[in-house]
Amino acid sequence: SQELEQSPQSLIVQEGKNLTINCTSSKTLYGLYWYKQKYGEGLIFLMMLQKGGEEKSHEKITAKLDEKKQQSSLHITASQPSHAGIYLCGADISSGNTGKLIFGQGTTLQVKP
Amino acid sequence: EAGVAQSPRYKIIEKRQSVAFWCNPISGHATLYWYQQILGQGPKLLIQFQNNGVVDDSQLPKDRFSAERLKGVDSTLKIQPAKLEDSAVYLCASSPRPLAEDYQETQYFGPGTRLLVL
């Protein structure tokens, strides 16, 4: 089983709709990263969360890390076709900031115009 | 600021052949990572360098994979001999500062090299 579970695995939404992607672990997330990947390309950094209860926003994307630091959500408001892609959460689950990230399996988002 | 550069972007080889990938991290970045991403999965860390030393290579299949980071800048990852299951995207990432206990460092990824082993 995955140490980092993402849900849903895929998502199709109509343009303008809101959506949420979740990332869950049974272990403490010492650093939680959200990346976006387009097919055939590398990972684009979106946001990093470290503290329990932390929330960050950039344009129409908001990421939160729960108080227990075991779950994170990524919320997109008023989705646009440019939001389409694969969203990956990555985390350092070793205390001491090892830099060794594990990743979820990804959530594929399609936005219908 | 230029991003992480990787080459080649695509490579097709037959099983048992050898292949090498090259990575040029963001200028001045101390830490460099190689990941393997199999289709439909998230990236998996293979090896981690800090400057020109290996920090962690516990998930690198050392019977066939090798990597080096000469002079603490560019890095190469080699597979010899390749197997069918090595078909994947190989991603290189770098982060600015050396690893330390009191802060997290964002990893910046290159475009990857897509390898197909026939």
Side-chain angles (χ1 to χ4, degrees), chain B residues 16-34:
Chain B
R16 291 188 290 273
Q17 285 188 319
S18 302
V19 65
F21 313 127
W22 174 81
C23 171
N24 186 8
I26 294 172
S27 178
H29 277 201
T31 313
L32 184 147
Y33 308 81
W34 281 102

Side-chain angles (χ1 to χ4, degrees), chain A residues 5-30:
Chain A
E5 290 279 351
Q6 280 186 243
S7 63
Q9 285 194 334
S10 64
L11 200 50
I12 303 173
V13 299
Q14 202 69 37
E15 182 176 358
K17 295 293 186 185
N18 303 336
L19 64 106
T20 300
I21 298 168
N22 293 302
C23 178
T24 304
S25 175
S26 57
K27 299 183 180 181
T28 301
L29 306 171
Y30 290 96

Side-chain angles (χ1 to χ4, degrees), chain A residues 30-31 33 35 37 39-43 45 48 50 88 92 94 96-106, chain B residues 9-10 33 35 37 39-43 45 48 56 91 99-111 114:
Chain A
Y30 290 96
Y33 298 79
Y35 288 91
Q37 185 176 34
Y39 183 78
E41 297 179 16
L43 278 63
F45 170 70
M48 189 268 279
Q50 254 189 287
L88 289 153
D92 189 342
S94 310
N97 297 324
T98 64
K100 294 192 290 186
L101 299 187
I102 60 165
F103 283 86
Q105 75 274 36
Chain B
R9 291 295 311 276
Y10 306 93
Y33 308 81
Y35 288 85
Q37 186 178 23
L39 188 64
Q41 298 181 19
L45 180 67
Q48 181 185 18
D56 187 280
L91 294 160
L99 298 167
E101 288 203 8
D102 57 344
Y103 56 78
Q104 284 279 336
E105 276 287 88
T106 297
Q107 295 180 26
Y108 297 92
F109 284 77
R114 186 171 297 275

Side-chain angles (χ1 to χ4, degrees), chain B:
Chain B
E1 180 181 70
V4 177
Q6 289 189 246
S7 67
R9 291 295 311 276
Y10 306 93
K11 191 77 179 176
I12 301 174
I13 62 172
E14 295 189 349
K15 60 183 179 184
R16 291 188 290 273
Q17 285 188 319
S18 302
V19 65
F21 313 127
W22 174 81
C23 171
N24 186 8
I26 294 172
S27 178
H29 277 201
T31 313
L32 184 147
Y33 308 81
W34 281 102
Y35 288 85
Q36 179 193 59
Q37 186 178 23
I38 291 170
L39 188 64
Q41 298 181 19
K44 179 184 119 180
L45 180 67
L46 293 175
I47 188 167
Q48 181 185 18
F49 292 94
Q50 184 161 291
N51 299 314
N52 61 349
V54 175
V55 176
D56 187 280
D57 63 358
S58 56
Q59 299 197 85
L60 189 73
K62 297 181 191 63
D63 57 334
R64 297 183 302 107
F65 285 65
S66 64
E68 59 182 8
R69 189 183 184 197
L70 297 175
K71 300 180 183 178
V73 182
D74 294 5
S75 177
T76 55
L77 175 70
K78 295 178 183 176
I79 308 175
Q80 181 179 10
K83 293 186 175 181
L84 297 176
E85 58 260 35
D86 298 332
S87 294
V89 177
Y90 290 85
L91 294 160
C92 179
S94 68
S95 56
R97 293 181 291 179
L99 298 167
E101 288 203 8
D102 57 344
Y103 56 78
Q104 284 279 336
E105 276 287 88
T106 297
Q107 295 180 26
Y108 297 92
F109 284 77
T113 295
R114 186 171 297 275
L115 173 68
L116 179 59
V117 182
L118 302 175

